[in-house]
Amino acid sequence: MRAMIVDDEVPARSELRYLLDETGRIESIMEASSAREAVEKLMEGKVDVLFLDISMPKTSGMQLAEALHRLKNPPAIVFVTAYSEYALEAFGVDAIDYLMKPVEPERLSQALDRVQARMKPQPQSHSSVERIPVVKSGRKVLVPIDQIRYIEAKDDYSCIYTDSDRFLSTISLAKLEQKLAPHGFFRVHRGYIVNLEYVEDVEVISSGILQLGVNGIEGKKISVSRRRVVALKRALGL
């Protein structure tokens, strides 16, 4: 199991590292003193579990967890904090556990049990959420969601784009947003949903407005509405 400790206080990181080493269950441990540093290190290699403090300067641990929760395959989150009042909010971002400082070895062991249970391979789901029914040349076909780059509202329809094709769906953008959000899709504008996995570049144009480039879609720029800019930056770790 590969872990990362994210806490702005050095003594807290050192104490938790010692406790994790004592369990003998951790293959490697990285440390980060801020959410920004954590994101940078996550981009360098796979991490199975984040032991995440909530109260940190600039971007809080809760904000980082909210951003990671939107990814397709996020690491497990275990909050380690001195504050009990965030527990309900923590489980709203699908946290595995919520440990109070100072951390007790027995509670840490229980948290690791839960992380390992989450890591066990799950049977493949055949839910309709994994594929979206669309219309192509007068017939209905099913498009795997991991092939979708972005979705655009078109009158009473939704236009679904892959890297090589375009399809129409009778499912509204609002319903697609609801279905696809757990799979790493983000509604950047009232007219667009984007698969964050395929966001290639973020460009700031006049007046601070953002435009997104999408991998596999040549020459297409998608505008981000002002009220969604902050949440999108969190989701992308910017």
Side-chain angles (χ1 to χ4, degrees), residues 31-230:
E31 294 184 23
S33 60
S34 67
R36 184 184 184 89
E37 184 182 359
V39 170
E40 291 172 353
K41 290 190 174 181
L42 283 171
M43 294 175 68
E44 294 173 3
K46 182 172 173 57
V47 172
D48 299 308
V49 56
L50 256 64
F51 290 91
L52 184 57
D53 186 26
I54 288 180
S55 179
M56 295 189 294
K58 295 185 178 178
T59 304
S60 72
M62 190 63 68
Q63 290 172 320
L64 175 58
E66 288 172 354
L68 295 176
H69 184 53
R70 296 179 181 273
L71 299 179
K72 191 172 183 179
N73 295 300
I77 299 291
V78 175
F79 283 108
V80 184
T81 178
Y83 304 95
S84 60
E85 61 265 32
Y86 297 103
L88 187 60
E89 191 177 352
F91 292 105
V93 293
D94 201 26
I96 293 285
D97 211 334
Y98 192 95
L99 305 182
M100 296 294 297
K101 296 178 180 179
V103 177
E104 298 178 358
E106 184 178 346
R107 280 291 289 116
L108 181 60
S109 181
Q110 290 173 1
L112 292 176
D113 288 342
R114 292 175 180 175
V115 173
Q116 287 184 315
R118 170 75 66 89
M119 290 171 60
K120 288 180 180 177
Q122 300 296 316
Q124 287 293 320
S125 169
H126 296 288
S127 164
S128 60
V129 174
E130 301 297 333
R131 297 188 293 175
I132 299 295
V134 298
V135 178
K136 180 67 175 177
S137 302
R139 62 190 180 94
K140 286 206 169 184
V141 296
L142 296 172
V143 176
I145 62 173
D146 59 2
Q147 293 181 12
I148 298 172
R149 263 49 176 184
Y150 71 95
I151 306 170
E152 182 180 5
K154 287 284 189 182
D155 299 321
D156 295 330
Y157 299 90
S158 298
C159 197
I160 296 176
Y161 291 83
T162 65
D163 63 339
S164 59
D165 216 334
R166 181 179 67 173
F167 307 91
L168 283 179
S169 173
T170 55
I171 305 174
S172 70
L173 215 63
K175 288 184 178 178
L176 286 173
E177 177 187 14
Q178 198 174 35
K179 286 187 175 185
L180 295 174
H183 299 273
F185 286 74
F186 189 92
R187 191 161 184 177
V188 298
H189 187 279
R190 62 190 179 93
Y192 288 98
I193 296 172
V194 174
N195 187 342
L196 295 182
E197 185 176 349
Y198 293 109
V199 172
E200 192 169 45
D201 60 79
V202 180
E203 180 183 358
V204 180
I205 58 176
S206 61
S207 304
I209 292 179
L210 298 186
Q211 284 189 338
L212 305 179
V214 180
N215 183 279
I217 309 294
E218 190 74 27
K220 177 68 177 179
K221 293 292 183 180
I222 297 175
S223 295
V224 181
S225 70
R226 291 182 185 276
R227 68 187 184 90
R228 299 178 190 268
V229 166
V230 174

